[in-house]
Amino acid sequence: MEEQTDNATSPVDTTPKVTGIGGIFFFSDNPQEMKEWYAKNLGFDINEWGSASFESRNFNRPDEINSLQWSPFKKGDDYFSPSKKEFMINYQVQNIEGLVNKLKENGATILDSIATYDYGKFVHIMDAEGNKIELWEPSR
């Protein structure tokens, strides 16, 4: 396990790994109708990006708020390519660079380079059964 210390001198785990679910994305014949159905029937609050966001606190770091995104995509959307599956899961990770290096060493398929945005870093991979996976290291 890789560790460093924070300002409180407690060890901080920096092991490259998944730390949670960041998003659930799936195909829909009519994403707008699907969003409206979930809003009307299950109380989903659809945000300006067209997804619902669910927030929770990190058990080990209670000051940290995590977010899970839920969003239907139009059936056949290229965002899921090259996967032929009707869903994609986004996993929250820590040490995305270390995780990508580990994946490369293990022969995993890396689809793109790490992209950095205000809200975090992203990279896409394929699992052993052809499911596209989005890895996201949120900005802290």
Side-chain angles (χ1 to χ4, degrees):
M1 177 169 74
E2 299 174 28
E3 286 189 359
Q4 59 189 23
T5 54
D6 61 16
N7 294 338
T9 67
S10 61
V12 176
D13 181 5
T14 59
T15 304
K17 65 181 180 180
V18 168
T19 58
I21 304 291
I24 301 169
F25 310 114
F26 58 94
F27 282 150
S28 168
D29 291 327
N30 189 323
Q32 187 57 41
E33 282 183 11
M34 184 67 75
K35 292 173 194 176
E36 291 168 5
W37 187 93
Y38 274 84
K40 177 181 175 182
N41 292 289
L42 298 177
F44 280 32
D45 185 17
I46 306 300
N47 61 34
E48 64 268 23
W49 298 288
S51 63
S53 182
F54 301 92
E55 293 183 343
S56 61
R57 294 217 179 257
N58 182 319
F59 182 77
N60 295 315
R61 294 184 298 274
D63 290 341
E64 183 180 303
I65 298 174
N66 292 320
S67 176
L68 181 143
Q69 298 299 310
W70 171 96
S71 185
F73 281 72
K74 180 72 177 160
K75 187 171 264 181
D77 192 295
D78 286 340
Y79 193 60
F80 290 28
S81 292
S83 176
K84 303 295 184 206
K85 306 295 175 97
E86 295 199 356
F87 66 91
M88 182 175 65
I89 297 175
N90 167 301
Y91 291 105
Q92 287 186 24
V93 304
Q94 63 186 25
N95 190 354
I96 196 167
E97 290 86 358
L99 187 55
V100 167
N101 288 335
K102 177 180 177 179
L103 289 163
K104 286 178 181 176
E105 289 170 8
N106 291 339
T109 301
I110 313 297
L111 296 173
D112 48 20
S113 299
I114 297 171
T116 303
Y117 302 93
D118 291 343
Y119 42 89
K121 298 176 183 180
F122 292 83
V123 69
H124 298 91
I125 67 170
M126 296 292 280
D127 73 10
E129 292 196 1
N131 299 302
K132 185 175 181 181
I133 296 170
E134 185 172 65
L135 302 177
W136 168 41
E137 182 174 13
S139 299
R140 303 277 183 223

